[in-house]
C-alpha cells in the first residue's frame, strides 16, 4: 500500500486537489483535444483518458509532496480500495463518475433528448451515428456503458 494512504487528511487534501486539476479549464481543453473521436485512434481512447487522469493525479500528489512512484494503480481506484466505506471520501470522489461524459455532451438529465453522436467501430474505424443504430423508433434506445478501473 502506498504510505500516504494511511493519512486520511492527506488523502482528502490530495483528492480535493485532484478534483481541481481534473476540472481545470486547461485539463478540459487537453481532454477535448486528445479524446476527439474524429482525430484520435479509437482503439486508444481509453488509454488516452487514463493518461490524462494519471497526469492530473501526478500533479495533485506532487503538490502534496508525495512521490507519484508510490502509485501502482490509478489514484481513484486506490482511494476507493482503501476508503470504500468512508462516505466523506467517496462523496469527494463522486465527480469522477460524471467527468468524462460531461465534457462531451454537457449536463444531460433524465428525460432530456440525447445528442446524436458519431460512434467509431474499433475494428473498421468506420463511423455510424447513434441515431442510425436506433432501428425501432417505437421503442426507446437503451445505452449501457461501463468502465474498468
Amino acid at each position: 500500500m502506498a504510505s500516504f494512504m494511511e493519512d486520511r487528511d492527506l488523502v482528502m487534501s490530495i483528492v480535493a486537489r485532484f478534483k481541481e486539476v481534473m476540472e481545470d479549464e486547461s485539463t478540459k481543453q487537453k481532454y477535448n483535444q486528445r479524446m476527439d473521436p474524429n482525430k484520435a485512434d479509437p482503439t486508444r481512447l481509453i488509454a488516452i483518458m487514463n493518461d490524462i487522469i494519471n497526469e492530473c493525479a501526478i500533479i495533485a500528489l506532487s503538490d502534496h509532496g508525495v512521490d507519484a512512484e508510490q502509485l501502482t494503480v490509478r489514484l481513484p481506484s486506490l482511494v476507493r480500495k482503501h476508503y470504500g466505506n468512508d462516505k466523506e471520501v467517496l462523496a469527494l470522489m463522486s465527480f469522477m463518475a460524471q467527468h468524462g461524459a460531461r465534457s462531451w455532451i454537457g449536463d444531460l438529465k433524465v428525460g432530456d433528448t440525447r445528442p446524436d453522436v458519431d460512434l467509431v467501430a474499433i475494428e473498421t474505424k468506420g463511423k455510424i451515428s447513434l441515431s442510425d443504430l436506433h432501428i425501432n423508433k417505437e421503442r426507446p434506445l437503451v445505452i449501457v456503458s461501463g468502465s474498468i478501473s
Side-chain angles (χ1 to χ4, degrees), residues 26-111:
S26 65
T27 301
K28 290 177 184 179
Q29 289 174 356
K30 186 185 316 181
Y31 184 87
N32 287 333
Q33 289 169 352
R34 292 189 197 172
M35 293 291 291
D36 184 342
N38 297 315
K39 297 177 184 172
D41 176 354
T43 63
R44 296 245 330 118
L45 291 178
I46 292 174
I48 293 168
M49 182 179 64
N50 284 333
D51 288 346
I52 293 168
I53 291 169
N54 288 334
E55 289 170 17
C56 294
I58 289 168
I59 291 169
L61 291 166
S62 298
D63 287 355
H64 288 83
V66 176
D67 182 7
E69 295 296 320
Q70 291 189 45
L71 285 183
T72 55
V73 296
R74 287 180 32 211
L75 180 62
S77 299
L78 188 62
V79 171
R80 278 189 219 102
K81 178 181 177 184
H82 294 284
Y83 291 94
N85 294 323
D86 188 319
K87 291 181 182 181
E88 189 178 2
V89 174
L90 293 179
L92 193 55
M93 288 296 297
S94 67
F95 77 96
M96 287 294 296
Q98 300 171 348
H99 178 72
R102 189 168 288 174
S103 68
W104 281 104
I105 58 178
D107 289 327
L108 289 179
K109 294 173 185 50
V110 173

Side-chain angles (χ1 to χ4, degrees), residues 41-46 119-126:
D41 176 354
T43 63
R44 296 245 330 118
L45 291 178
I46 292 174
L119 304 173
V120 180
I122 292 175
E123 293 176 2
T124 65
K125 296 187 180 167

Side-chain angles (χ1 to χ4, degrees), residues 9-27 53 55-65 75 92-93 95:
D9 291 336
L10 177 59
V11 169
M12 290 287 288
S13 185
I14 290 170
V15 170
R17 177 66 179 131
F18 178 60
K19 179 180 178 182
E20 288 174 7
V21 175
M22 288 284 290
E23 294 178 343
D24 184 75
E25 194 58 41
S26 65
T27 301
I53 291 169
E55 289 170 17
C56 294
I58 289 168
I59 291 169
L61 291 166
S62 298
D63 287 355
H64 288 83
L75 180 62
L92 193 55
M93 288 296 297
F95 77 96

